[in-house]
Amino acid sequence: MPVNTAPREASPDDLARASPSGPGTAFRWPARLWIVLLVSSGVILLDGLDVSMIVVAIPQIQREFGLSAATAQWLAGAYILAFGSFLLLGGRCADLFGRRRMLVAAMAVFILVSVFGALTSNPVLLIASRFIKGVAAAFTAPAAMSLLTTTFPEGPQRNKAFGIFNVFEASGYSSGLLIGGLLATLNWRAIFILPVPIALLILWAALRYVPADPRSDRPIRLDLGGTLTLVSGMLTLVFALVFAAEIGWLSPWTVGGLAVSALLLAAFAAIESRVEAPLIRLGLFRNRRLVAANASAALLYGGAMGFQFLLGLYLQNLLGWQPWQMALVLLPAGLMVVAIGPKLGGLMDRFGVARILVVGLAAFVPCYLLALRLGPEPDLWTLLLPVSLLWGLGFALSISALMVAGTSGVADEEQGVAAGLLNSSLQVGGACGLAVVTAVIMPATELAMLSSGVVVSLVFAFLTLLVQLPFRRG
C-alpha cells in the first residue's frame, strides 16, 4: 500500500478506525499506522540501547579520566536520576502540549547532548550530559507510549502493538550490552555516537509521517506548584535511593532524603486535590488495575535490576568473565522476548491480559530459585541458560501485559500521565530494588552475597504475584 506523505492529513484516531478492533476480528494496518508504531518502538529501542551500553563502558571512562568508583557510577546514576524524576512531568506535557510535538523537541535535545557527550573531555560535563539526556528520555518515553495507546484502540490492536513495542524494548537493552562491550574495546566515545543516527531517523520519521497534534482552543495551563513539588520530590526520592546503596539505609542523608521526599510528595498531593487543572488527577488512582499494574511494575523491576547487578558481580568479579560474555549469557533472554513478542497480542486476546501477566510474573520464581544453586564453577547449560530463558519468558509476558493493564480504562487526554506513571514506577522500583539488594549483600562473602541477594529478588517476585491475585480472572 502506498504511503501518503502529506502532513497533517489524518489523525491517529482516523488511522486506528481504519481497521476493526473487536475480539476475534482480523485487522490490517495501513502503512502509516505501522510507521507510527515503529516510531514509538524506535524511541524505546533507543532508550534501552543508551542505558545498557553505558554500563559496560564505565570502567574504561573511569580509567581515562581517573575517576573514583563513586564518581564513575554517576555516569549511569545521573541518567536514572533524571529519567525517574521527570517522567510524570514528561507524560503530562505530552497530554497538554501534544505527543508528537514533545517527542520531536525532546529527541532533538537527545541528539545534541549525545554529540556533546562524545566530544567533551571534561568528566563533570560528561556526567551533566547524561543527566540532560535522562531528562530528554523522560519526555520521549511517555510521549511515544501515549502516542501508541491513543493510536491503537483497546483490545486486539493495542495488545498486538504492545507486543511489538516490547520486542524493541528488550532488543535495545539486550543488544546494547553486547554492542556496548564491543564498542568499548575500540573507544567509549563510539557509544555516545551510535545513538545519533538512530535518533535522527526517528526524528525524521516522526516529522514526516506521524500526524500533527490536533489543535485545541482550550487554554493550556501547567500546574506550576504541582510541577515544582513533584519534580523536587521525585529528584530527592531517586537521589536518596541511588545513594542508599553507597552510604547506607540508616545514614542521616538517606533518612533525611526520604523524609524530605515524603513531605514534598505529600505537598504535591495536597496541591493536586485543590487546583483546577492538576498535573495528575488524583481520581486516576481509583482505577484499581492501574494501581496494581504500577505496584507490580515497581516490584518486578526492583527484583530484576537487583538480580542483574548480582549476576554481573558473579560472572565478572567472581568468575572473571568479560562484559561481552555476560551479554551472551543474557542474550537468550532477549531472544525469548523477540520470539514471543509478536505473538503476545493474540495470546492476550485468547487468554486475557491478567492471566498472561500472572504467568509472566510467575516465571521469575523458578528463575530465582535456580539462581540460588549457582556456585564457584559456572554451570552454563543446566543453570545459566535456564535462568536466562526463564528471565526472558517473564519479561516477554509481563512487561507488555503491564503496559496494557496500566493504560486500560484511561481517557485519551490522560494517556501521557498513565504512561509516565508506569515508567516512573519501573525506574523508582528498579532503583529501590538495587539499593535493597546492595544493602543486604554488603556484609556477606562473595557466594553468600549472591545467595542473600537472590533471596531478595525472590521475595520481590512473590510480591508481584500477590499484588495481582485479586485480578487473576481478568
Side-chain angles (χ1 to χ4, degrees):
M1 179 179 292
V3 177
N4 181 4
T5 60
R8 303 189 182 187
E9 185 169 352
S11 71
D13 290 339
D14 294 333
L15 293 170
R17 282 192 291 267
S19 300
S21 59
T25 60
F27 50 86
R28 297 181 62 186
W29 290 335
R32 188 185 284 268
L33 202 61
W34 274 105
I35 294 175
V36 171
L37 174 58
L38 291 176
V39 167
S40 298
S41 300
V43 170
I44 208 69
L45 169 75
L46 189 62
D47 287 344
L49 277 173
D50 196 67
V51 169
S52 57
M53 286 194 302
I54 192 66
V55 171
V56 295
I58 287 176
Q60 189 183 66
I61 299 173
Q62 181 182 0
R63 288 192 298 270
E64 179 169 327
F65 290 114
L67 303 176
S68 66
T71 302
Q73 66 94 18
W74 279 106
L75 290 164
Y79 185 99
I80 296 171
L81 178 65
F83 190 53
S85 301
F86 284 85
L87 269 165
L88 288 172
L89 178 61
R92 185 55 178 158
C93 286
D95 289 334
L96 289 176
F97 302 106
R99 298 170 179 94
R100 178 181 181 265
R101 190 175 293 116
M102 294 309 303
L103 191 153
V104 166
M107 189 60 68
V109 172
F110 187 95
I111 292 168
L112 293 174
V113 176
S114 294
V115 174
F116 177 83
L119 298 177
T120 187
S121 295
N122 186 312
V124 175
L125 294 178
L126 184 62
I127 292 172
S129 75
R130 292 291 299 168
F131 183 88
I132 297 172
K133 189 180 283 192
V135 174
F139 282 79
T140 60
M145 188 170 161
S146 59
L147 181 66
L148 187 151
T149 56
T150 54
T151 299
F152 297 90
E154 285 189 30
Q157 291 202 54
R158 187 179 295 181
N159 294 347
K160 178 181 178 181
F162 267 127
I164 296 170
F165 185 83
N166 193 31
V167 167
F168 277 77
E169 181 178 25
S171 299
Y173 191 83
S174 58
S175 62
L177 291 169
L178 184 58
I179 294 170
L182 295 174
L183 290 179
T185 61
L186 302 174
N187 193 306
W188 63 265
R189 296 183 187 274
I191 288 174
F192 283 76
I193 289 295
L194 181 65
V196 173
I198 301 172
L200 285 170
L201 179 61
I202 295 170
L203 183 61
W204 171 80
L207 287 169
R208 187 172 180 85
Y209 296 111
V210 175
D213 300 306
R215 294 180 180 177
S216 175
D217 296 328
R218 293 182 302 173
I220 296 176
R221 288 176 290 182
L222 185 62
D223 173 17
L224 292 179
T227 299
L228 289 173
T229 51
L230 174 64
V231 172
S232 300
M234 292 299 294
L235 274 170
T236 308
L237 173 62
V238 178
F239 189 84
L241 291 175
V242 170
F243 256 112
E246 183 179 344
I247 63 178
W249 280 94
L250 298 180
S251 162
W253 287 102
T254 302
V255 175
L258 294 175
V260 170
S261 172
L263 289 173
L264 287 168
L265 293 177
F268 166 72
I271 291 171
E272 299 307 278
S273 66
R274 291 181 174 88
V275 297
E276 184 178 347
L279 192 66
I280 301 176
R281 185 177 59 85
L282 297 183
L284 191 64
F285 295 100
R286 296 193 188 101
N287 184 329
R288 294 171 61 226
R289 290 187 183 277
L290 178 145
V291 173
N294 278 272
S296 284
L299 291 164
L300 168 63
Y301 253 52
M305 293 303 99
F307 179 70
Q308 181 176 301
F309 173 69
L310 290 169
L311 197 61
L313 291 179
Y314 171 70
L315 294 176
Q316 295 186 52
N317 291 1
L318 189 60
L319 301 184
W321 288 21
Q322 297 298 313
W324 65 268
Q325 292 175 300
M326 176 183 168
L328 287 178
V329 169
L330 294 176
L331 185 60
L335 294 176
M336 180 71 76
V337 178
V338 171
I340 294 176
K343 304 173 184 177
L344 199 54
L347 292 173
M348 286 190 284
D349 296 339
R350 182 175 179 182
F351 299 105
V353 174
R355 290 188 180 90
I356 295 297
L357 177 55
V358 168
V359 172
L361 296 176
F364 288 99
V365 174
C367 170
Y368 298 145
L369 285 173
L370 277 174
L372 288 173
R373 297 174 52 199
L374 292 172
E377 296 296 330
D379 194 336
L380 181 62
W381 299 108
T382 61
L383 279 182
L384 287 175
L385 180 60
V387 163
S388 183
L389 289 173
L390 284 168
W391 215 50
L393 177 65
F395 272 109
L397 296 178
S398 58
I399 293 297
S400 290
L402 282 171
M403 290 178 179
V404 172
T407 56
S408 296
V410 178
D412 280 1
E413 60 268 20
E414 293 183 313
Q415 283 290 335
V417 168
L421 187 63
L422 189 61
N423 280 285
S424 186
S425 296
L426 291 170
Q427 295 301 317
V428 173
C432 186
L434 187 57
V436 172
V437 165
T438 305
V440 168
I441 68 176
M442 288 299 286
T445 61
E446 286 182 322
L447 278 179
M449 167 191 75
L450 178 69
S451 298
S452 58
V454 171
V455 168
V456 173
S457 293
L458 187 60
V459 171
F460 274 66
F462 278 117
L463 290 176
T464 60
L465 286 168
L466 186 63
V467 169
Q468 289 298 321
L469 282 180
F471 307 105
R472 64 188 182 276
R473 297 182 181 180

